[in-house]
Amino acid sequence: MKEDFSKLSIKHFRSLSLRPFQRFIPLVLFVYLATPAAAAVIDVKTYGAIPNDSVDDSLAIQTAIDAAPANSIIYFPQGTYLLAGVKVHDRSELTLAGDGSTLSILKRNGRYPNIFESIGSTDLLVTRLGFDANGITSYGGFNFYNAKRISITKTHFFDSNKQPVGGYDRYSWVFGRGSVPSEDILISDNLIEDLQVEIDFGLRVRIEGNTVVRPVGTAGIGVFTIDDNASAQNYTIQKNSIIDPVVSAGGIVLHLDPPRSSYSTMKTFRILDNNIVYTKHINGNHASADRIGTGDNSQPTTGNIFDDIVIQNNVVYKDPGSPYDFGDVNAVIFGNSSAIANFRFDNTNVSNNRIHYNNKSGLPNIDIREKGV
């Protein structure tokens, strides 16, 4: 078992594509090669977690995490574990891993919305696990704040007890507005169903190769200010598939939220090679496929910057047999500003996108506003 997890970790670090991580790779490999001992494997069952019963496992899992030294693997053997509000605060060099995203399931239990919470942690890997939101009606998910060098790959986030769509976001992975931006985040090759991904207040973020099905709330993949003086810079959002977003803003969204946010910076975004698909199974009027700017251009703001944004080589496909329409949104790809909102989209490149849509209403494919013009 230890040998297998050691190989997993080496493979993980070798496969990182984020440039900021590259300078760490030789050091990491040197440590592995120079130290014959594999990472410590902490089996949560040895701390009292029992899968597939009706007893909450939060305390046992929390104890296992608290007892784990740096460079440990918190291992969840096959089965379903009940938990909520487990904390991974100020920890470094930990891996949370299971036997596979359909085999090792961490299921939210009780009324507390968050499955996991992490503040101030660095060098964490989460992989080969399933996460069940279990009837969430608002927020929830795995919450990070003030994080550095977090990698999330080959997981499945879902809701086995879906509730009717309401007026709130429902999260899978969320990097919230902490005291400092989260840095060097990789979210790749995950399956997310009936929940959205939100990465606010981040520097050097890569969201790649994920499938997000029926996201609920504001966006499939969203980046929001949350308040004044926010910074989100150097994001690559590429090769993701977003299917049937049941959202108010868009499949992929960069937004002032709340719309009165000021002195915030959204800079150097690459939104590339994503597929946003609408099938015949969805009804009603929904949002743009890609949307940047503000959700309410009647709100006055000042000092906001949207700069160096590339939206390129994306495919938007609407099933010809679907009753879905883009409704009253202004465009399929929409940059929303106004004279009152008072910001421009500087150095913005929207090109080579393919839109397959029987556009009977004459909706613009692309509309990028410059202070409302």
Side-chain angles (χ1 to χ4, degrees):
M1 181 186 300
K2 291 183 179 180
E3 181 181 356
D4 292 340
F5 278 120
S6 178
K7 290 178 180 178
L8 168 67
S9 299
I10 292 172
K11 180 180 179 181
H12 164 69
F13 280 108
R14 282 176 174 165
S15 66
L16 287 177
S17 55
L18 277 173
R19 287 186 178 179
F21 281 99
Q22 290 174 348
R23 63 182 182 273
F24 298 112
I25 294 174
L27 175 61
V28 171
L29 293 180
F30 173 80
V31 171
Y32 270 105
L33 294 173
T35 307
V41 177
I42 309 297
D43 187 331
V44 297
K45 291 173 69 175
T46 66
Y47 285 82
I50 301 174
N52 304 322
D53 64 4
S54 59
V55 179
D56 190 280
D57 298 298
S58 300
L59 180 58
I61 293 168
Q62 186 70 67
T63 302
I65 291 172
D66 293 344
N71 192 32
S72 291
I73 296 165
I74 312 300
Y75 170 54
F76 296 84
Q78 182 174 337
T80 298
Y81 301 83
L82 304 178
L83 70 159
V86 173
K87 296 174 174 54
V88 190
H89 294 340
D90 298 309
R91 297 306 309 272
S92 180
E93 300 178 359
L94 291 182
T95 294
L96 275 62
D99 288 327
S101 64
T102 62
L103 299 175
S104 299
I105 309 297
L106 309 184
K107 183 176 183 178
R108 186 180 71 90
N109 188 45
R111 301 181 64 180
Y112 194 74
N114 302 340
I115 298 176
F116 276 89
E117 300 170 348
S118 180
I119 301 174
S121 291
T122 62
D123 300 290
L124 299 186
L125 167 64
V126 185
T127 187
R128 294 177 15 184
L129 286 168
F131 295 85
D132 182 356
N134 188 25
I136 195 71
T137 57
S138 60
Y139 311 122
F142 195 134
N143 290 237
F144 289 90
Y145 299 90
N146 305 349
K148 291 185 179 181
R149 297 181 298 279
I150 308 297
S151 296
I152 299 161
T153 184
K154 295 180 173 61
T155 69
H156 180 199
F157 226 122
F158 64 101
D159 191 332
S160 65
N161 182 26
K162 291 192 297 183
Q163 300 299 304
V165 175
Y168 297 96
D169 293 336
R170 299 176 186 177
Y171 296 135
S172 58
W173 305 103
V174 54
F175 287 77
R177 177 71 184 270
S179 59
V180 296
S182 292
E183 301 181 34
D184 300 313
I185 308 304
L186 174 65
I187 302 176
S188 70
D189 302 303
N190 302 284
L191 172 61
I192 298 153
E193 298 184 85
D194 303 295
L195 305 160
Q196 76 177 58
V197 182
E198 184 167 322
I199 308 91
D200 310 319
F201 208 43
L203 304 176
R204 299 178 302 279
V205 175
R206 193 175 193 95
I207 308 166
E208 181 175 40
N210 303 285
T211 300
V212 185
V213 184
R214 300 176 303 273
V216 172
T218 309
I221 298 174
V223 184
F224 304 101
T225 54
I226 308 303
D227 208 340
D228 296 341
N229 301 295
S231 180
Q233 299 188 50
N234 295 299
Y235 281 56
T236 298
I237 303 173
Q238 73 174 11
K239 297 182 179 179
N240 302 285
S241 294
I242 301 174
I243 302 168
D244 291 342
V246 187
V247 295
S248 61
I252 299 174
V253 174
L254 319 179
H255 254 196
L256 302 181
D257 183 14
R260 294 180 67 94
S261 298
S262 294
Y263 302 106
S264 294
T265 298
M266 300 269 192
K267 185 173 182 179
T268 310
F269 277 78
R270 298 294 178 263
I271 302 174
L272 311 171
D273 301 296
N274 300 284
N275 297 314
I276 303 176
V277 178
Y278 304 87
T279 78
K280 60 185 179 182
H281 303 295
I282 192 168
N283 295 290
N285 298 328
H286 294 281
S288 300
D290 294 286
R291 184 172 174 127
I292 61 177
T294 178
D296 184 349
N297 63 15
S298 69
Q299 297 295 313
T301 73
T302 187
N304 291 307
I305 295 172
F306 284 81
D307 184 27
D308 189 20
I309 297 172
V310 176
I311 303 175
Q312 192 173 69
N313 299 327
N314 300 282
V315 174
V316 180
Y317 176 81
K318 175 189 171 294
D319 190 311
S322 169
Y324 174 91
D325 200 349
F326 282 95
D328 59 358
V329 300
N330 296 85
V332 178
I333 299 175
F334 186 39
N336 192 22
S337 182
S338 69
I340 295 173
N342 189 37
F343 60 84
R344 299 173 57 89
F345 296 103
D346 295 316
N347 304 304
T348 298
N349 176 359
V350 182
S351 62
N352 297 324
N353 300 284
R354 289 179 292 163
I355 299 174
H356 303 268
Y357 171 40
N358 185 13
N359 192 347
K360 296 180 180 179
S361 60
L363 184 72
N365 286 335
I366 301 169
D367 183 357
I368 308 297
R369 304 290 176 90
E370 295 296 338
K371 295 190 177 181
V373 178

